[in-house]
């Protein structure tokens, strides 16, 4: 049962992140909590802003464009992350709106983002999404395709911050988090976007730098 007030929910998650970080010999400040606000209206987001949360994640460009300009006018220090799949034809809007994009997963999107970034002279941080469980229904590049895609991103001058993955549902997430961390090390990357409401503490102990938490902060989605 989630606490009723957003401030208590936020403190509970932050305390859990800090505890997991210390268990792993890490500094809690090294982990960025992304509050996943997809499907939640402005009136549910504002209490978390009042409680001090400033980093939020959305799944869709259109939904984010409808909600966040007004909120950013009141809280200009907000950082907005795109955590859902991105169509290449939405790259220009995404570059204009988001501070980080967690779903770079194919050559056509690399090219579209590079064009948009050059045009706008704006370079959001990019995480390359890996299909860590080799699931046909999920986005992300195959592990075997990762070296080539990273090279394409670097040639295109995308600011690659790290890797992102969503482990298969209803399985132990730790081996997949450990594999993503190894892939990042192998490619000289330090950013790891992994872990959600059910497993973010495990992700932190295995090196996550960004955790994407929705339900534990907002409750169930509409």
């Amino acid at each position: 049962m989630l606490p009723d007030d957003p401030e208590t929910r936020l403190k509970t998650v932050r305390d859990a992140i800090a505890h997991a970080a210390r268990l792993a010999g890490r500094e809690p400040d090294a982990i960025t909590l992304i509050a996943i606000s997809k499907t939640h209206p402005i009136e549910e987001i504002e209490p978390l802003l009042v409680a001090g949360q400033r980093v939020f994640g959305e799944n869709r460009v259109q939904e984010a464009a409808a909600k966040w300009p007004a909120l950013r006018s009141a809280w200009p220090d907000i950082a907005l992350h795109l955590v859902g799949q991105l169509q290449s034809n939405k790259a220009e809007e995404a570059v204009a709106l988001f501070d980080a994009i967690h779903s770079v997963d194919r050559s056509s999107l690399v090219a579209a983002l590079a064009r948009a970034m050059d045009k706008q002279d704006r370079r959001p941080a990019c995480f390359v999404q890996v299909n860590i469980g080799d699931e046909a229904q999920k986005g992300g590049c195959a592990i075997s395709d990762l070296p080539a895609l990273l090279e394409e991103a670097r040639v295109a001058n995308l600011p690659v911050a790290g890797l992102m993955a969503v482990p298969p549902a209803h399985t132990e997430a730790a081996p997949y988090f450990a594999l993503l961390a190894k892939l990042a090390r192998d490619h000289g990357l330090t950013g790891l976007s992994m872990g959600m409401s059910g497993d973010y503490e495990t992700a932190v102990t295995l090196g996550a730098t960004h955790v994407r938490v929705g339900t534990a902060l907002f409750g169930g989605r509409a």
Side-chain angles (χ1 to χ4, degrees):
M1 189 77 177
L2 287 176
D4 286 336
D5 62 297
E7 187 172 3
T8 300
R9 294 198 296 265
L10 179 60
K11 183 179 186 303
T12 298
V13 172
R14 285 180 171 172
D15 287 349
I17 289 171
H19 178 68
R22 292 190 186 100
L23 284 177
R26 304 179 64 201
E27 290 296 325
D29 289 347
I31 297 99
T32 297
L33 169 61
I34 306 170
I36 303 302
S37 49
K38 63 180 182 182
T39 77
H40 295 288
I42 286 174
E43 55 267 28
E44 292 181 18
I45 294 169
E46 284 178 325
L48 279 177
L49 283 161
V50 171
Q53 178 65 21
R54 288 294 181 271
V55 185
F56 290 83
E58 291 284 343
N59 254 37
R60 296 170 61 230
V61 172
Q62 189 173 356
E63 182 183 348
K67 294 193 305 199
W68 286 97
L71 288 167
R72 278 180 145 166
S73 67
W75 284 277
D77 56 341
I78 285 170
L80 195 58
H81 292 231
L82 178 65
V83 298
Q85 295 306 115
L86 178 60
Q87 295 175 323
S88 296
N89 63 2
K90 296 282 188 183
E92 198 160 318
E93 292 174 78
V95 166
L97 187 59
F98 291 96
D99 301 291
I101 296 168
H102 290 240
S103 49
V104 180
D105 63 355
R106 60 197 185 278
S107 298
S108 59
L109 183 55
V110 167
L113 286 169
R115 286 193 299 270
M117 289 183 189
D118 289 343
K119 180 178 177 180
Q120 298 179 41
D121 195 23
R122 189 169 193 275
R123 310 198 87 75
C126 291
F127 290 81
V128 171
Q129 183 176 354
V130 181
N131 189 344
I132 202 75
D134 193 23
E135 298 173 276
Q137 77 279 16
K138 272 192 183 162
C141 75
I143 292 173
S144 59
D145 295 336
L146 180 60
L149 188 63
L150 284 172
E151 181 59 23
E152 288 178 30
R154 285 167 174 149
V155 169
N157 201 27
L158 290 196
V160 178
L163 303 180
M164 183 272 245
V166 180
H170 313 302
T171 60
E172 173 55 52
Y176 296 97
F177 293 153
L179 175 56
L180 192 71
K182 180 185 184 302
L183 290 170
R185 287 193 304 272
D186 289 348
H187 293 286
L189 297 168
T190 57
L192 283 170
S193 172
M194 60 188 196
M196 299 187 289
S197 287
D199 53 24
Y200 66 89
E201 293 167 88
T202 300
V204 168
T205 64
L206 291 168
T209 59
H210 295 71
V211 294
R212 310 179 305 270
V213 179
T215 303
L217 292 171
F218 289 99
R221 292 192 297 274

